[in-house]
Amino acid sequence: YDWRSKISGLVHHSVVGNHDDGNIVDDRWTKEDIYSFLLKPEETSDIVRGADLYYYRDDNLQKTRYIYLDSATKTGNIYYDTNQQNFLKQALISTPDNWHIIPISHIWLNVDYNQSPPVATTPSYGGQWMLD
């Protein structure tokens, strides 16, 4: 809550990830809990929300579509979530011509933590699905 109060004056849009559903204990918090804390305070009229914790928003001045995807929560990972997969496909197809697309999500790559410093390796399951 301290973090939330410190960014309250900023235009900020969050993306959910592996630390937002409990991390050590997966699904400790419900999707409703995560939405209420992380996304609801950042709601703006330009957000097009999917069925769960993913959405996109358009910046018409910059001709840019920002797509916020869930690739890391246990039950919401795009790799397993056909609703989110379809949402992403439609968000890409419906982007106006000559616009930029910026996908935002957690865990695009797996990391080898046995090395120091850790080294990014292959795409994660969700990351590979999004790239494909």
Side-chain angles (χ1 to χ4, degrees), residues 16-49:
V16 297
N18 58 310
H19 294 270
D20 297 314
D21 67 350
N23 194 35
I24 294 172
V25 178
D26 284 325
D27 295 329
R28 173 179 284 172
W29 296 288
T30 66
K31 290 177 184 178
E32 293 78 18
D33 292 334
I34 297 167
Y35 170 80
S36 178
F37 173 74
L38 193 62
L39 302 178
K40 185 177 181 180
E42 301 174 353
E43 282 288 344
T44 55
S45 61
D46 61 344
I47 288 177
V48 176
R49 189 161 299 287

Short mmCIF file of all heavy atoms in Angstrom, two decimals, residues 16-49:
data_model
loop_
_atom_site.label_atom_id
_atom_site.label_comp_id
_atom_site.label_asym_id
_atom_site.label_seq_id
_atom_site.Cartn_x
_atom_site.Cartn_y
_atom_site.Cartn_z
N VAL A 16 0.09 -7.89 -14.31
CA VAL A 16 0.22 -8.90 -13.26
C VAL A 16 1.31 -9.89 -13.60
O VAL A 16 1.64 -10.10 -14.77
CB VAL A 16 -1.11 -9.64 -13.00
CG1 VAL A 16 -2.17 -8.69 -12.51
CG2 VAL A 16 -1.56 -10.40 -14.23
N GLY A 17 1.88 -10.49 -12.57
CA GLY A 17 2.94 -11.45 -12.78
C GLY A 17 3.06 -12.44 -11.65
O GLY A 17 2.17 -12.57 -10.81
N ASN A 18 4.19 -13.12 -11.62
CA ASN A 18 4.36 -14.25 -10.71
C ASN A 18 4.38 -13.86 -9.24
O ASN A 18 4.15 -14.71 -8.38
CB ASN A 18 5.64 -15.02 -11.06
CG ASN A 18 6.87 -14.15 -11.01
OD1 ASN A 18 6.90 -13.07 -11.59
ND2 ASN A 18 7.89 -14.62 -10.34
N HIS A 19 4.60 -12.62 -8.90
CA HIS A 19 4.59 -12.23 -7.49
C HIS A 19 3.24 -11.70 -7.05
O HIS A 19 3.05 -11.43 -5.88
CB HIS A 19 5.67 -11.17 -7.22
CG HIS A 19 7.05 -11.70 -7.40
ND1 HIS A 19 7.77 -12.27 -6.38
CD2 HIS A 19 7.83 -11.77 -8.50
CE1 HIS A 19 8.94 -12.67 -6.84
NE2 HIS A 19 9.00 -12.37 -8.13
N ASP A 20 2.30 -11.57 -7.97
CA ASP A 20 1.03 -10.95 -7.64
C ASP A 20 -0.04 -11.92 -7.15
O ASP A 20 -1.04 -11.50 -6.61
CB ASP A 20 0.51 -10.15 -8.84
CG ASP A 20 1.46 -9.02 -9.18
OD1 ASP A 20 1.89 -8.31 -8.25
OD2 ASP A 20 1.80 -8.86 -10.36
N ASP A 21 0.16 -13.21 -7.37
CA ASP A 21 -0.83 -14.17 -6.86
C ASP A 21 -0.33 -14.90 -5.63
O ASP A 21 -0.98 -15.81 -5.13
CB ASP A 21 -1.25 -15.16 -7.95
CG ASP A 21 -0.14 -16.10 -8.39
OD1 ASP A 21 1.03 -15.89 -8.02
OD2 ASP A 21 -0.45 -17.05 -9.13
N GLY A 22 0.80 -14.49 -5.11
CA GLY A 22 1.31 -15.07 -3.88
C GLY A 22 2.74 -15.55 -3.96
O GLY A 22 3.39 -15.71 -2.95
N ASN A 23 3.26 -15.81 -5.14
CA ASN A 23 4.63 -16.22 -5.40
C ASN A 23 4.99 -17.53 -4.71
O ASN A 23 4.95 -18.57 -5.33
CB ASN A 23 5.61 -15.11 -5.06
CG ASN A 23 6.99 -15.39 -5.63
OD1 ASN A 23 7.10 -15.94 -6.71
ND2 ASN A 23 8.03 -15.03 -4.93
N ILE A 24 5.32 -17.52 -3.44
CA ILE A 24 5.73 -18.75 -2.76
C ILE A 24 4.55 -19.70 -2.64
O ILE A 24 4.67 -20.90 -2.85
CB ILE A 24 6.35 -18.44 -1.39
CG1 ILE A 24 7.66 -17.67 -1.59
CG2 ILE A 24 6.59 -19.70 -0.59
CD1 ILE A 24 8.28 -17.12 -0.32
N VAL A 25 3.39 -19.17 -2.31
CA VAL A 25 2.15 -19.95 -2.28
C VAL A 25 1.31 -19.48 -3.46
O VAL A 25 0.71 -18.42 -3.42
CB VAL A 25 1.37 -19.74 -0.96
CG1 VAL A 25 0.07 -20.52 -0.99
CG2 VAL A 25 2.23 -20.12 0.24
N ASP A 26 1.31 -20.27 -4.56
CA ASP A 26 0.55 -19.87 -5.75
C ASP A 26 -0.92 -19.72 -5.42
O ASP A 26 -1.49 -20.49 -4.64
CB ASP A 26 0.71 -20.93 -6.85
CG ASP A 26 2.05 -20.85 -7.53
OD1 ASP A 26 2.56 -19.74 -7.69
OD2 ASP A 26 2.59 -21.91 -7.89
N ASP A 27 -1.53 -18.74 -6.03
CA ASP A 27 -2.96 -18.46 -5.88
C ASP A 27 -3.37 -18.16 -4.45
O ASP A 27 -4.49 -18.43 -4.04
CB ASP A 27 -3.81 -19.60 -6.46
CG ASP A 27 -3.63 -19.71 -7.97
OD1 ASP A 27 -3.39 -18.67 -8.62
OD2 ASP A 27 -3.73 -20.82 -8.49
N ARG A 28 -2.46 -17.59 -3.67
CA ARG A 28 -2.81 -17.14 -2.32
C ARG A 28 -3.89 -16.08 -2.40
O ARG A 28 -4.79 -16.04 -1.59
CB ARG A 28 -1.57 -16.58 -1.62
CG ARG A 28 -1.91 -15.93 -0.27
CD ARG A 28 -0.68 -15.40 0.40
NE ARG A 28 0.06 -16.54 0.95
CZ ARG A 28 1.27 -16.44 1.48
NH1 ARG A 28 1.88 -15.28 1.52
NH2 ARG A 28 1.86 -17.50 1.95
N TRP A 29 -3.79 -15.20 -3.41
CA TRP A 29 -4.78 -14.16 -3.60
C TRP A 29 -5.59 -14.46 -4.84
O TRP A 29 -5.06 -14.94 -5.85
CB TRP A 29 -4.11 -12.79 -3.71
CG TRP A 29 -3.41 -12.43 -2.43
CD1 TRP A 29 -3.99 -12.09 -1.24
CD2 TRP A 29 -2.01 -12.43 -2.20
NE1 TRP A 29 -3.03 -11.87 -0.29
CE2 TRP A 29 -1.80 -12.07 -0.85
CE3 TRP A 29 -0.90 -12.71 -2.99
CZ2 TRP A 29 -0.54 -11.97 -0.28
CZ3 TRP A 29 0.35 -12.61 -2.42
CH2 TRP A 29 0.52 -12.24 -1.08
N THR A 30 -6.86 -14.16 -4.80
CA THR A 30 -7.74 -14.41 -5.94
C THR A 30 -7.51 -13.37 -7.02
O THR A 30 -6.91 -12.32 -6.78
CB THR A 30 -9.22 -14.35 -5.51
OG1 THR A 30 -9.51 -13.00 -5.11
CG2 THR A 30 -9.51 -15.31 -4.37
N LYS A 31 -8.03 -13.66 -8.19
CA LYS A 31 -7.96 -12.68 -9.28
C LYS A 31 -8.67 -11.39 -8.88
O LYS A 31 -8.23 -10.30 -9.24
CB LYS A 31 -8.55 -13.27 -10.55
CG LYS A 31 -7.69 -14.37 -11.13
CD LYS A 31 -8.32 -14.99 -12.35
CE LYS A 31 -7.44 -16.14 -12.83
NZ LYS A 31 -8.00 -16.82 -13.98
N GLU A 32 -9.76 -11.52 -8.13
CA GLU A 32 -10.49 -10.34 -7.66
C GLU A 32 -9.63 -9.50 -6.71
O GLU A 32 -9.64 -8.27 -6.76
CB GLU A 32 -11.80 -10.74 -6.99
CG GLU A 32 -12.82 -11.35 -7.93
CD GLU A 32 -12.54 -12.82 -8.30
OE1 GLU A 32 -11.76 -13.48 -7.61
OE2 GLU A 32 -13.09 -13.28 -9.31
N ASP A 33 -8.89 -10.18 -5.83
CA ASP A 33 -7.98 -9.48 -4.91
C ASP A 33 -6.90 -8.73 -5.69
O ASP A 33 -6.58 -7.58 -5.40
CB ASP A 33 -7.29 -10.46 -3.95
CG ASP A 33 -8.23 -11.10 -2.96
OD1 ASP A 33 -9.28 -10.51 -2.64
OD2 ASP A 33 -7.91 -12.23 -2.51
N ILE A 34 -6.31 -9.41 -6.66
CA ILE A 34 -5.24 -8.81 -7.46
C ILE A 34 -5.77 -7.61 -8.24
O ILE A 34 -5.15 -6.54 -8.25
CB ILE A 34 -4.61 -9.84 -8.42
CG1 ILE A 34 -3.97 -10.98 -7.63
CG2 ILE A 34 -3.60 -9.18 -9.34
CD1 ILE A 34 -3.61 -12.19 -8.48
N TYR A 35 -6.93 -7.78 -8.86
CA TYR A 35 -7.53 -6.67 -9.61
C TYR A 35 -7.78 -5.48 -8.68
O TYR A 35 -7.44 -4.34 -8.99
CB TYR A 35 -8.83 -7.10 -10.28
CG TYR A 35 -9.58 -5.93 -10.86
CD1 TYR A 35 -9.21 -5.39 -12.08
CD2 TYR A 35 -10.62 -5.34 -10.16
CE1 TYR A 35 -9.86 -4.29 -12.60
CE2 TYR A 35 -11.29 -4.24 -10.66
CZ TYR A 35 -10.91 -3.72 -11.88
OH TYR A 35 -11.55 -2.62 -12.37
N SER A 36 -8.37 -5.75 -7.53
CA SER A 36 -8.74 -4.67 -6.59
C SER A 36 -7.52 -3.88 -6.14
O SER A 36 -7.56 -2.66 -6.06
CB SER A 36 -9.45 -5.29 -5.39
OG SER A 36 -9.77 -4.30 -4.46
N PHE A 37 -6.42 -4.56 -5.86
CA PHE A 37 -5.23 -3.87 -5.38
C PHE A 37 -4.41 -3.27 -6.51
O PHE A 37 -3.98 -2.12 -6.43
CB PHE A 37 -4.34 -4.82 -4.56
CG PHE A 37 -3.03 -4.19 -4.19
CD1 PHE A 37 -2.97 -3.23 -3.19
CD2 PHE A 37 -1.86 -4.51 -4.86
CE1 PHE A 37 -1.77 -2.61 -2.86
CE2 PHE A 37 -0.66 -3.90 -4.54
CZ PHE A 37 -0.61 -2.95 -3.53
N LEU A 38 -4.18 -4.04 -7.56
CA LEU A 38 -3.20 -3.64 -8.57
C LEU A 38 -3.79 -2.86 -9.73
O LEU A 38 -3.21 -1.86 -10.18
CB LEU A 38 -2.49 -4.89 -9.10
CG LEU A 38 -1.23 -4.68 -9.91
CD1 LEU A 38 -0.16 -3.99 -9.08
CD2 LEU A 38 -0.71 -6.01 -10.44
N LEU A 39 -4.93 -3.28 -10.24
CA LEU A 39 -5.45 -2.70 -11.48
C LEU A 39 -6.58 -1.69 -11.30
O LEU A 39 -6.64 -0.70 -12.02
CB LEU A 39 -5.90 -3.82 -12.42
CG LEU A 39 -4.83 -4.85 -12.79
CD1 LEU A 39 -5.40 -5.92 -13.69
CD2 LEU A 39 -3.63 -4.19 -13.44
N LYS A 40 -7.46 -1.92 -10.37
CA LYS A 40 -8.61 -1.03 -10.20
C LYS A 40 -8.21 0.42 -9.96
O LYS A 40 -8.80 1.33 -10.56
CB LYS A 40 -9.52 -1.53 -9.07
CG LYS A 40 -10.78 -0.71 -8.94
CD LYS A 40 -11.69 -1.27 -7.87
CE LYS A 40 -12.95 -0.41 -7.79
NZ LYS A 40 -13.86 -0.92 -6.77
N PRO A 41 -7.21 0.70 -9.11
CA PRO A 41 -6.82 2.11 -8.89
C PRO A 41 -6.26 2.78 -10.15
O PRO A 41 -6.14 4.00 -10.19
CB PRO A 41 -5.75 2.02 -7.80
CG PRO A 41 -5.97 0.71 -7.13
CD PRO A 41 -6.49 -0.20 -8.20
N GLU A 42 -5.92 2.00 -11.17
CA GLU A 42 -5.32 2.55 -12.38
C GLU A 42 -6.30 2.58 -13.56
O GLU A 42 -5.90 2.89 -14.68
CB GLU A 42 -4.10 1.71 -12.77
CG GLU A 42 -3.06 1.66 -11.69
CD GLU A 42 -1.91 0.72 -11.99
OE1 GLU A 42 -1.97 -0.03 -12.99
OE2 GLU A 42 -0.95 0.73 -11.21
N GLU A 43 -7.55 2.26 -13.33
CA GLU A 43 -8.55 2.23 -14.40
C GLU A 43 -8.64 3.59 -15.09
O GLU A 43 -8.67 4.62 -14.44
CB GLU A 43 -9.93 1.87 -13.85
CG GLU A 43 -10.11 0.40 -13.56
CD GLU A 43 -10.23 -0.46 -14.81
OE1 GLU A 43 -10.47 0.06 -15.92
OE2 GLU A 43 -10.05 -1.68 -14.67
N THR A 44 -8.66 3.55 -16.41
CA THR A 44 -8.88 4.74 -17.22
C THR A 44 -9.88 4.38 -18.31
O THR A 44 -10.09 3.19 -18.61
CB THR A 44 -7.57 5.26 -17.85
OG1 THR A 44 -6.97 4.20 -18.60
CG2 THR A 44 -6.59 5.76 -16.79
N SER A 45 -10.47 5.37 -18.91
CA SER A 45 -11.52 5.13 -19.89
C SER A 45 -11.01 4.50 -21.19
O SER A 45 -11.80 3.98 -21.97
CB SER A 45 -12.25 6.44 -20.22
OG SER A 45 -11.34 7.37 -20.77
N ASP A 46 -9.70 4.51 -21.40
CA ASP A 46 -9.15 3.96 -22.64
C ASP A 46 -8.76 2.49 -22.54
O ASP A 46 -8.26 1.92 -23.50
CB ASP A 46 -7.96 4.79 -23.11
CG ASP A 46 -6.81 4.81 -22.12
OD1 ASP A 46 -7.01 4.45 -20.93
OD2 ASP A 46 -5.70 5.20 -22.51
N ILE A 47 -9.01 1.85 -21.42
CA ILE A 47 -8.64 0.44 -21.24
C ILE A 47 -9.70 -0.46 -21.85
O ILE A 47 -10.89 -0.28 -21.64
CB ILE A 47 -8.46 0.12 -19.74
CG1 ILE A 47 -7.18 0.77 -19.23
CG2 ILE A 47 -8.43 -1.39 -19.50
CD1 ILE A 47 -6.93 0.58 -17.75
N VAL A 48 -9.23 -1.44 -22.62
CA VAL A 48 -10.09 -2.51 -23.13
C VAL A 48 -9.65 -3.76 -22.37
O VAL A 48 -8.55 -4.26 -22.57
CB VAL A 48 -9.94 -2.68 -24.65
CG1 VAL A 48 -10.76 -3.87 -25.14
CG2 VAL A 48 -10.32 -1.40 -25.38
N ARG A 49 -10.52 -4.21 -21.48
CA ARG A 49 -10.17 -5.30 -20.58
C ARG A 49 -10.66 -6.64 -21.12
O ARG A 49 -11.74 -6.73 -21.67
CB ARG A 49 -10.79 -5.04 -19.20
CG ARG A 49 -10.30 -6.01 -18.16
CD ARG A 49 -10.53 -5.51 -16.75
NE ARG A 49 -9.85 -4.26 -16.45
CZ ARG A 49 -8.56 -4.10 -16.25
NH1 ARG A 49 -7.74 -5.13 -16.38
NH2 ARG A 49 -8.05 -2.94 -15.95
#
